[in-house]
Amino acid sequence: ENPVEPRYNYMRDVDYCSAAALMIDRQLWDALGGFDERFAPCYYEDTDLCFAVRKAGMRVIYQPAAKVIHLEGVSHGTDLATGQKAYQLKNQATFVAKWEQELQRHAPNGVDPLRECDRAKRTHVLWVEACMLTPDQDSGSLRTMRLLKLLIDAGCKVTFVADNLLAEEPYAQQLRDEGIEVLHAPHVQSMGDYLRKHAGQYDVVTLCRHYIAIQYVEELKDRYPDTHIWFDTIDLHYLRLRRQFELDGASATQKMADLAYQEELKVIALSDLTIVVSDVEQAELAREMPGARVTVISNIHNAQEVVAPYEERSGILFVGGFQHPPNIDAVEYYANDIWPAVKAALPDVETFIIGSRMPERLKQWGEERGLTMVGFAEDLAPFYARCRLAIAPLRYGAGVKGKVNQALSYGVPVVGSPSALEGMGLESERDAMLAATPDEFAQAISAVYRDRQLWQRLSANGMASLEGRFTPDVAKRALMEALASVQAK
């Protein structure tokens, strides 16, 4: 069959790899004594070696990115009854006798092979997103990538698919290298057809975003009652759109908010578990749907161990992907209503605007107003290491803002709007600076920029605020609790 089919094309633990392409650490090879002489002159020595590696506490990993051409049968032919090929049957019996106890844990050949090939994985999870994860471009993708890695670490078999069936590189390969199977066209022609045929092989199907979930949730619920349906809202879209309507008053926004509300609540009602990113959204759903099971699994960040001091820093930083409308609005709000006062107070200070998919119109508009419009930056670490503070002047939104979490994880103080700091448990002037108006924003920026002691307090407390809310351990506990109910069923 085609070796690039998704089911063959991700890194994973296997029973054995053929000696046609096998790499082993020399010290381990010597410790195991190399190939067992019982299998001389040929056949089953590689299989036996891999079983011995695993018995020694190590892993045997199949890496599909490694490629060789193996001309099968050239050495000894293919007739099991003649020549050295006959050792294949003889050594099979030797192998079975040696590893009889281990082989008792294997199912008979041909019995549910799609699950048996990942027999060590207790829970099989299918994760359905709108498009391929781009963790270097948006915080939602970064959060999901880290959640999938936690599921892998928890012993799950994870399959990822974008509803548009695209698998853009290098992002799809990043998932495969983590041990995640990636479904995509042309191997999958229709997401709906795939779910109708295969959803029963998964213990959990996670549907992300209401406009994706609404297409599949009813049929999944009807056809596969034993499969758990998780709904990852990413953020509550109806809440964000309602807040946008309060600003723009557009009838189109109101219609989108109403549709999002109807669809999100319907999906929540049909799901076994709904995942939100903040206590605020959990409380919102407790009012709207008191019977729903809702858990908080938020952004995931680790605080940096080394933070450049106040004196070595200069500049103001804004980060946000511009496919997300609130970020465009935030830059325009900052440039029009906040930046003039900041520039008057701090005339030599530069503001860096960073984000993927920056519209050319916005880039030119910002540059005309004296902002440094960087656009996409492959690595944000140098900016977090050099800038003195980060800003989040969002006028509307929902969920938890990755731009705020990330800045705090680097020890960079944040000046943010109520919408930007919502649901993060931050206290103004201790962990971050809350600014509700343009004047408050400009004053807070100036205060943090000029006051070394204030900067140091915000830097230290901001990093400490991640503990208990936004670290991998917090997310892992929530995921393990969710998985426990699946495994119990």
Side-chain angles (χ1 to χ4, degrees):
E1 296 187 7
N2 188 347
V4 300
E5 281 190 22
R7 60 179 169 146
Y8 304 132
N9 204 24
Y10 63 100
M11 193 183 75
R12 64 183 183 274
D13 289 80
V14 292
D15 290 335
Y16 78 99
C17 295
S18 166
L22 193 64
M23 180 179 288
I24 183 170
D25 180 83
R26 176 61 185 262
Q27 288 184 324
L28 178 60
W29 166 267
D30 290 341
L32 296 175
F35 289 134
D36 189 332
E37 293 292 338
R38 280 176 283 184
F39 298 99
C42 53
Y43 295 110
Y44 276 90
E45 73 282 358
D46 48 1
T47 317
D48 172 77
L49 176 68
C50 291
F51 273 59
V53 165
R54 197 162 35 252
K55 185 177 180 180
M58 307 294 283
R59 298 169 62 193
V60 177
I61 298 173
Y62 163 67
Q63 171 52 278
K67 297 180 181 180
V68 300
I69 296 175
H70 179 207
L71 303 178
E72 185 175 7
V74 169
S75 301
H76 304 303
T78 58
D79 187 352
L80 297 178
T82 62
Q84 294 201 6
K85 191 69 174 175
Y87 283 104
Q88 187 167 329
L89 291 178
K90 176 180 180 296
N91 286 349
Q92 181 186 50
T94 303
F95 174 82
V96 170
K98 179 177 179 179
W99 296 102
E100 181 179 8
Q101 185 173 356
E102 175 72 20
L103 291 170
Q104 287 177 357
R105 294 197 287 270
H106 292 220
N109 271 353
V111 177
D112 200 4
L114 291 179
R115 287 190 69 93
E116 185 66 9
C117 70
D118 286 290
R119 73 170 66 85
K121 308 297 186 181
R122 183 175 178 186
T123 306
H124 289 217
V125 179
L126 174 65
W127 203 278
V128 185
E129 245 287 14
C131 52
M132 176 52 60
L133 301 180
T134 52
D136 60 346
Q137 297 187 34
D138 64 278
S139 65
S141 289
L142 182 62
R143 167 184 171 269
T144 300
M145 181 77 164
R146 289 173 174 171
L147 286 178
L148 298 184
K149 290 169 70 173
L150 287 174
L151 288 170
I152 291 287
D153 292 343
C156 295
K157 159 70 183 297
V158 177
T159 302
F160 175 88
V161 61
D163 188 60
N164 61 13
L165 297 178
L166 298 179
E168 297 95 332
E169 299 297 354
Y171 304 107
Q173 191 59 42
Q174 290 173 5
L175 292 174
R176 297 186 193 105
D177 287 342
E178 294 292 343
I180 297 166
E181 179 184 17
V182 180
L183 305 179
H184 58 89
H187 310 286
V188 176
Q189 295 290 329
S190 162
M191 197 62 239
D193 287 347
Y194 181 87
L195 288 172
R196 278 187 286 275
K197 294 175 183 177
H198 299 285
Q201 78 188 48
Y202 299 100
D203 304 298
V204 176
V205 174
T206 301
L207 302 172
C208 299
R209 308 176 195 272
H210 69 92
Y211 51 88
I212 301 300
I214 197 67
Q215 302 175 62
Y216 310 119
V217 66
E218 286 185 277
E219 189 168 9
L220 280 175
K221 192 74 172 177
D222 291 341
R223 292 171 67 96
Y224 301 103
D226 292 332
T227 298
H228 281 238
I229 300 172
W230 292 0
F231 173 39
D232 188 356
T233 64
I234 308 300
D235 64 27
L236 284 177
H237 288 53
Y238 82 80
L239 189 59
R240 170 161 48 83
L241 288 166
R242 284 179 176 178
R243 291 170 174 176
Q244 182 180 346
F245 176 68
E246 292 174 2
L247 280 176
D248 64 24
S251 60
T253 304
Q254 185 176 36
K255 289 178 182 178
M256 288 192 296
D258 291 343
L259 178 62
Y261 176 79
Q262 294 167 13
E263 291 186 348
E264 281 182 307
L265 264 60
K266 182 175 182 178
V267 174
I268 290 167
L270 292 171
S271 298
D272 297 287
L273 176 69
T274 295
I275 301 171
V276 296
V277 295
S278 75
D279 297 337
V280 171
E281 292 189 335
Q282 188 178 46
E284 167 75 15
L285 292 181
R287 291 189 295 270
E288 294 288 345
M289 297 198 69
R293 184 184 173 203
V294 181
T295 191
V296 176
I297 305 180
S298 197
N299 296 336
I300 303 170
H301 294 275
N302 276 318
Q304 299 295 307
E305 294 183 2
V306 179
V307 177
Y310 169 88
E311 294 82 4
E312 296 179 9
R313 297 172 173 269
S314 65
I316 299 167
L317 178 64
F318 173 88
V319 174
F322 292 103
Q323 72 275 23
H324 192 50
N327 287 327
I328 296 178
D329 179 81
V331 171
E332 293 175 342
Y333 170 54
Y334 176 73
N336 284 329
D337 299 339
I338 302 169
W339 175 234
V342 172
K343 199 171 183 180
L346 304 167
D348 297 326
V349 171
E350 193 172 6
T351 297
F352 300 93
I353 307 296
I354 299 177
S356 61
R357 303 177 192 177
M358 179 183 288
E360 187 60 30
R361 174 200 61 81
L362 183 68
K363 185 176 188 296
Q364 294 178 359
W365 182 87
E367 288 173 348
E368 290 170 359
R369 283 152 182 79
L371 303 176
T372 303
M373 307 297 284
V374 177
F376 174 68
E378 189 170 333
D379 186 5
L380 291 173
F383 290 93
Y384 284 119
R386 66 174 287 191
C387 289
R388 191 168 288 181
L389 62 88
I391 55 171
L394 297 170
R395 296 200 298 167
Y396 68 95
V400 169
K401 309 306 177 295
K403 61 174 60 63
V404 175
N405 286 133
Q406 194 167 39
L408 296 179
S409 75
Y410 278 91
V412 180
V414 174
V415 179
S417 63
S419 177
L421 303 186
E422 179 183 74
M424 301 186 68
L426 300 173
E427 182 180 323
S428 186
E429 299 187 38
R430 185 193 70 181
D431 309 313
M433 298 293 283
L434 179 67
T437 68
D439 286 344
E440 290 178 3
F441 228 102
Q443 290 168 11
I445 289 173
S446 181
V448 177
Y449 205 90
R450 289 171 164 165
D451 189 333
R452 181 176 179 275
Q453 288 186 330
L454 174 60
W455 186 94
Q456 289 176 325
R457 180 171 76 244
L458 294 171
S459 175
N461 291 339
M463 294 179 74
S465 73
L466 298 175
E467 288 296 327
R469 284 179 177 265
F470 304 111
T471 60
D473 287 343
V474 175
K476 183 179 179 180
R477 285 196 297 270
L479 280 175
M480 295 304 293
E481 183 177 336
L483 288 171
S485 63
V486 175
Q487 292 165 352
K489 182 177 180 181

